[in-house]
């Protein structure tokens, strides 16, 4: 553990040594997350034609639903960026406000995803239908789980800001969760093109 | 899963009954001893909740030694079963279980934690840091490893061991072919331990990049620190692959997905690929730190700077990159096609080049050195020829066409034991003996150490060299018996004798720890070998104070400590102390891991509500941690003065 040396010229989240270490550590964690999602994508593409004669993706995928989800998540990434912007301005209220918007958009996304999964299950496509659907649900589910964890996490951080204000410590938490959130957005873009667009063409 | 009571607790096998009785007795002895000597509090505050990297390292090493014992007993059982044709000690199912637990434990719960333990003790000292970047995470990593290991280990008394090999090939590991909880233990034990390993990877990358003391540039870092850094990078990229693979197989077994099954479009070969994309780099995770340890020991006892320092670093980096490009060599014979096999054959052989560079660098370091044959040096010297034998036979296996001949025979078994034992196990022993005085304040007895060294190394060759010929004779691996007509008796008997010699060597090693604790001279100077070159020798011995350095050292060249000795500079300036910031102990890492263990145990038996409770408790621990305002504390100057005086007065 390091000294708490403050450096006034840096953004708040970089001012304490712990903040800086945490941020670097989190970047490396994201490297591991890239490896994790790459493995899931690789699995998905290996199994993409293995529907075992059961339901094909093209039969179920709906562009409209996916577009709404994409819109919600991309917007939430934008509002998350605004929250960090307000963080740099040391504006506690606005930071929290934008984080709330982010969380709400994220909840909307998760809501639609749950609806989507339930709908597919209703149509007969579940985890155990075929190798293809197994990999589909696990890939999407892992992403959705990440988003849900992100939501809970950001809510906890908001409570902490509310209680303690914008300190170097809370700011680095906001910053780190924003990295996480943007990362999930990028993963979604890959899912959108690699899974949905490709699946609908098929 | 509905289990009868006698399926839950394994009964009816005298070997397992013996183990059960000894487990119960040992537990009673430990609990009784701790209570009698009133040591619970000490155990809790000084060890279990400790965030000190040195103590965590020692705990890793202790756990690894325990696992070496368990894996070694497995090995001896197997070797006894194979000593003569038609033996009836272990039936085929029991034999399968034992080679599975032996392989898994040796690699995941022995080799890797042993090295991570040494890394924990030494690396922060070598770079002149007060601690690692994330001390709490370090504690959590240790406990997840420990809980994962224990979950895996209880399988043989509760519910039954996995038996599909440490590679768990599908469809062998499906519910149909491996019914019962055994395989679930494998999946969840490894998963929980794997989380800890990944966190260790992140922790040490940040530590090595950000916590180096003044003047410690990247190209002044000791070789062990370098190899550890590269190892941690491999961990960060390889372990998520394992996490996913294990999760997918868990889903197949628990929730009926169809990733690796034979029906519903599943693909067993996908498992083989995913497993080895992690599995091959894993081999380097346990060999690169070993290379680092040998480099430190050889330079220290040849009293020379490492020859070709930068070439060494370059070759480690190259090895780490190549390690991700060779995985198919583990299943050349499973029908990947000529083109694919050729590619992976060539990349595999390419690894021999940087490895060869390293071997020559060690030899050149030895050349004209003033060599002292201490016990760690003996292990390091024995490593070179034995490892070369393993390496050369590895190149033979790497020729895809030839591999059709050797594959899944004892030739392979011999090859990987030559590499893993001569590389990793020798390094663990060497490193432990080498840094032992740093950890405990006294050396291990050299005379007893020599005995254990010679018996172990000779036994090792007697055990594994004959196996090359058994393999060429066509004896397959993973068989529990053979017929007299096959003519494999004499070499097998010889091999078993060697295995028992290794067992004796290990027991002597363990005895040495006890003997030296009683009789060795206590160490006063920090540089107990007298020829230390790197910063860990600049601190006082017997677990340096929790803050490592009272005044952080400044580094001017490679071999920093050697340099200060040559220049005659007093390393630890006595006067000018400043207060030091340190982290608080925490019980949360321990609690969280226990909760994870509960969740894992529930899932093993498909008791989902236990799994859920464990999972929720884990999340609660994480939430608590997030809200905790744990800013550590400052060690006042008086306390530092007092500690330093005590250390130098000893
Ligand atoms: C006392 C020394 C050891 C002896 C006598 C020994 C002996 C054996 C034997 C008899 C087998 C089973 C071969 C078969 O039936 O196919 C085996 C497998 C194996 N051993 Fe060892 N071993 C020793 C140490 C180690 C160490 C230190 C490691 C790793 C660091 C290791 C890793 C493995 C692995 C990965 C397998 C393959 C397991 C499988 O087939 O699933 N062994 N060993
Ligand atoms: Cu390999």
């Amino acid at each position: 553990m390091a000294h708490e040396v403050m450096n006034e010229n840096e953004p708040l989240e970089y001012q304490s040594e712990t903040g800086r270490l945490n941020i670097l550590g989190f970047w490396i964690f994201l490297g591991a997350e890239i490896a994790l999602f790459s493995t899931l994508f690789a699995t998905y593409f290996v199994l993409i034609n293995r529907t075992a004669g059961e339901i094909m993706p093209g039969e179920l995928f709906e562009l409209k639903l996916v577009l709404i989800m994409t819109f919600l998540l991309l917007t939430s990434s934008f509002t998350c960026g605004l929250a960090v912007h307000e963080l740099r301005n040391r504006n506690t209220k606005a930071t929290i406000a934008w984080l709330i918007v982010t969380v709400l958009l994220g909840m909307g996304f998760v809501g639609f995803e749950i609806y989507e999964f339930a709908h597919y299950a209703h149509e007969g496509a579940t985890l155990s239908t075929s190798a293809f659907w197994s990999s589909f649900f696990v890939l999407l589910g892992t992403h959705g789980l990440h988003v849900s964890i992100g939501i809970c996490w950001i809510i906890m951080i908001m409570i902490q800001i509310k209680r303690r204000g914008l300190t170097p410590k809370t700011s680095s938490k906001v910053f780190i969760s924003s990295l996480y959130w943007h990362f999930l957005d990028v993963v979604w873009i890959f899912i959108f093109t690699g899974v949905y667009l490709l699946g609908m063409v098929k | 899963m509905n289990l009868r009571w006698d399926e839950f607790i394994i009964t009816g096998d005298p070997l397992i009954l013996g183990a059960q009785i000894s487990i119960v007795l040992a537990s009673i002895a430990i609990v009784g001893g701790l209570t009698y000597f009133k040591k619970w509090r000490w155990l809790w505050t000084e060890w279990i909740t400790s965030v000190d990297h040195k103590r965590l390292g020692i705990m890793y090493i202790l756990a690894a030694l325990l696992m070496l014992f368990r894996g070694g007993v497995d090995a001896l059982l197997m070797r006894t079963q194979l000593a003569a044709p038609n033996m009836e000690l272990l039936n085929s199912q029991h034999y399968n279980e034992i080679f599975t637990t032996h392989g898994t434990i040796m690699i995941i719960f022995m080799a890797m934690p042993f090295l991570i333990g040494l890394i924990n003790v030494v690396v922060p000292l070598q770079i002149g840091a007060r601690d690692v970047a994330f001390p709490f995470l370090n504690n959590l990593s240790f406990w997840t490893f420990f809980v994962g290991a224990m979950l895996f280990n209880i399988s043989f008394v509760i519910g039954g061991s996995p038996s599909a090999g440490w590679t768990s090939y599908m469809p062998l590991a499906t519910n149909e072919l491996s019914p019962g909880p055994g395989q679930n233990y494998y999946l969840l034990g490894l998963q929980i331990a794997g989380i800890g390993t990944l966190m260790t990877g992140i922790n040490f990358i940040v530590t090595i990049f950000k916590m180096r003391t003044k003047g410690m540039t990247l190209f002044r870092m000791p070789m062990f620190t370098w190899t550890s850094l590269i190892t941690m990078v491999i961990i960060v990229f390889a372990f998520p692959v394992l996490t996913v693979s294990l999760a997918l197989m868990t889903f197949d077994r628990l929730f009926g997905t169809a990733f690796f099954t034979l029906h519903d479009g599943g693909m067993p070969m996908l498992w083989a690929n995913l497993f080895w994309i992690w599995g091959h780099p894993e081999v380097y995770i346990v060999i690169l730190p070993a290379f680092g340890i040998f480099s430190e020991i050889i330079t220290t006892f040849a009293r020379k700077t490492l020859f070709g320092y930068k070439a060494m670093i370059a070759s480690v980096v190259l090895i780490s990159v190549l390690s991700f490009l060779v995985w198919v060599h583990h299943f050349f014979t499973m029908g990947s096609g000529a083109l694919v096999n050729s590619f992976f054959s060539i990349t595999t052989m390419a690894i021999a080049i940087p490895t060869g560079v390293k071997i020559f660098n060690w030899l050149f370091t030895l050349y004209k050195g003033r060599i002292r044959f201490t016990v760690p040096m003996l292990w390091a010297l024995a490593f070179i020829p034995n490892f070369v034998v393993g390496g050369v036979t590895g190149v033979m296996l790497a020729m895809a066409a030839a591999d059709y001949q050797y594959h899944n025979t004892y030739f392979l078994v011999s090859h990987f034991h030559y590499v893993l034992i001569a590389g990793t196990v020798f390094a663990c022993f060497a490193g432990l003996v080498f840094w032992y005085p740093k950890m405990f304040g006294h050396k291990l007895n050299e005379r007893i150490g020599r005995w254990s060294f010679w018996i172990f190394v000779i036994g090792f060759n007697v055990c594994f060299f004959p196996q090359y010929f058994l393999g060429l004779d066509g004896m397959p691996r993973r068989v529990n018996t053979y017929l007299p007509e096959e003519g494999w008796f004499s070499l097998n008997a010889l091999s078993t004798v060697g295995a028992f010699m290794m067992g004796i060597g290990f027991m002597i090693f363990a005895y040495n720890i006890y003997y030296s604790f009683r009789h060795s001279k206590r160490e006063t100077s920090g540089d107990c070998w007298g020829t230390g070159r790197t910063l860990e020798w600049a601190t006082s011995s017997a677990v340096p104070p929790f803050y490592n350095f009272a005044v952080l050292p400044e580094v001017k060249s490679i071999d920093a400590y050697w340099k200060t000795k040559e220049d005659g500079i007093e390393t630890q300036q006595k006067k000018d102390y400043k207060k030091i910031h340190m982290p608080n102990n925490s019980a949360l890492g321990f609690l969280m891991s226990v909760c994870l263990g509960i969740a894992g145990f529930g899932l093993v038996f498909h008791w989902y509500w236990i799994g859920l409770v464990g999972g929720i408790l884990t999340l609660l621990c994480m939430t608590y941690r997030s809200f905790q305002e744990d800013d550590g504390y400052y060690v006042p100057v008086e306390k530092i003065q007092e500690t330093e005086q005590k250390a130098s007065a000893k």
Side-chain angles (χ1 to χ4, degrees), chain A residues 1-4 17-18 20-22 24-26 28-29 31-33 35-37 39-40 42-43 46-47 50-52 54 127-132 134-135 138 153 155-157 159-160 163-164 169 173, chain B residues 130-135 198 202 205-206 209-211 236-237 240-241 243-245 248 251 255-259 264-267 270 274 579-583 622-623 625-632 634:
Chain A
M1 183 99 129
H3 287 270
E4 295 300 314
E17 177 82 30
T18 348
R20 286 198 295 272
L21 290 178
N22 286 348
L24 178 65
F26 198 78
I28 297 168
F29 173 73
E33 288 274 80
L36 184 126
F37 276 104
T39 314
L40 287 171
T43 305
V46 166
L47 300 175
R50 301 196 157 232
T51 47
E54 299 282 342
L127 261 181
S128 51
T129 307
S130 66
F132 168 79
S134 299
S135 61
V138 170
W153 184 20
I155 291 176
M156 287 190 319
I157 294 173
I159 299 173
Q160 289 169 28
R163 283 198 197 155
R164 301 174 202 159
K169 206 170 170 187
K173 288 190 183 190
Chain B
R130 289 255 149 80
D131 203 334
V132 296
F134 310 115
L198 180 63
I202 296 173
I205 294 177
V206 178
F209 273 123
K210 286 282 168 183
M211 311 283 282
V236 166
F237 287 106
V241 182
T243 306
V244 171
S245 321
L248 298 185
F251 276 45
F255 308 128
T257 53
F259 289 104
D264 294 332
M267 200 177 178
L270 178 62
L274 288 179
K579 62 181 181 168
I580 297 175
H581 185 253
M582 292 306 287
M622 285 166 77
T623 311
R625 175 72 193 170
S626 170
F627 280 91
Q628 203 178 29
E629 288 193 73
D630 181 4
D631 291 328
Y634 280 95

Side-chain angles (χ1 to χ4, degrees), chain B residues 31-248:
Chain B
V31 172
L34 285 171
T35 314
Y36 181 77
F37 293 107
K38 300 200 173 62
K39 287 287 185 194
W40 284 107
R41 203 187 172 75
W42 164 83
L43 189 68
W44 179 258
T45 51
E46 304 267 309
W47 295 93
I48 293 177
T49 60
S50 172
V51 292
D52 182 348
H53 66 94
K54 302 176 288 297
R55 288 179 181 247
L56 288 165
I58 290 172
M59 290 198 280
Y60 267 113
I61 292 170
L62 272 175
L65 282 170
L66 204 67
M67 290 295 104
L68 182 59
F69 180 74
R70 153 90 211 254
V73 172
D74 283 348
L76 293 184
L77 283 172
M78 285 191 288
R79 270 328 314 172
T80 311
Q81 166 66 25
L82 292 173
N86 292 327
M87 283 283 266
E88 281 173 15
L89 177 68
L90 306 170
N91 62 30
S92 55
Q93 172 61 20
H94 201 166
Y95 189 86
N96 292 350
E97 291 177 7
I98 288 193
F99 75 63
T100 304
T101 50
H102 165 76
T104 314
I105 286 181
M106 283 299 196
I107 297 212
I108 310 274
F109 299 128
M110 190 286 285
M112 205 168 39
F114 208 129
L115 293 167
I116 288 182
L118 290 172
I119 290 173
N120 252 297
V121 173
V122 177
V123 165
L125 291 173
Q126 281 198 331
I127 60 174
R130 289 255 149 80
D131 203 334
V132 296
F134 310 115
F136 167 74
L137 209 60
N138 207 11
N139 174 290
L140 180 61
S141 298
F142 170 76
W143 284 112
T144 48
F145 145 69
F146 190 79
V147 165
M150 288 305 118
L151 188 63
F152 185 86
N153 267 280
I154 57 169
S155 67
F156 84 117
V157 285
I158 303 180
S161 296
S163 58
W166 88 283
T167 49
S168 286
Y169 281 140
M170 288 298 231
L172 181 59
T174 53
N175 282 329
E176 294 80 47
L177 298 176
S178 295
Q183 189 59 28
N184 299 345
Y185 271 118
Y186 171 95
L187 293 167
L188 290 149
L190 259 63
Q191 188 70 283
I192 293 175
I195 299 171
T197 312
L198 180 63
M199 290 185 301
T200 301
I202 296 173
N203 206 339
F204 275 88
I205 294 177
V206 178
T207 303
I208 294 174
F209 273 123
K210 286 282 168 183
M211 311 283 282
R212 277 170 290 137
T213 188
K214 205 165 152 208
M216 177 68 81
T217 58
L218 283 179
F219 286 106
R220 285 180 193 163
M221 286 193 327
M223 208 53 218
F224 183 52
T225 302
W226 257 109
T227 53
S228 304
L229 174 65
I230 304 296
T231 305
M232 297 302 165
V233 174
I234 301 183
I235 286 179
V236 166
F237 287 106
F239 264 75
V241 182
L242 177 71
T243 306
V244 171
S245 321
L246 292 173
L248 298 185

Side-chain angles (χ1 to χ4, degrees), chain B residues 395-416:
Chain B
V395 176
M396 289 167 72
L397 287 161
M399 290 183 258
D403 187 55
Y404 277 79
Q405 181 66 28
Y406 313 128
H407 188 66
N408 274 353
T409 68
Y410 264 79
F411 190 89
L412 170 83
V413 174
S414 185
H415 152 69
F416 70 65

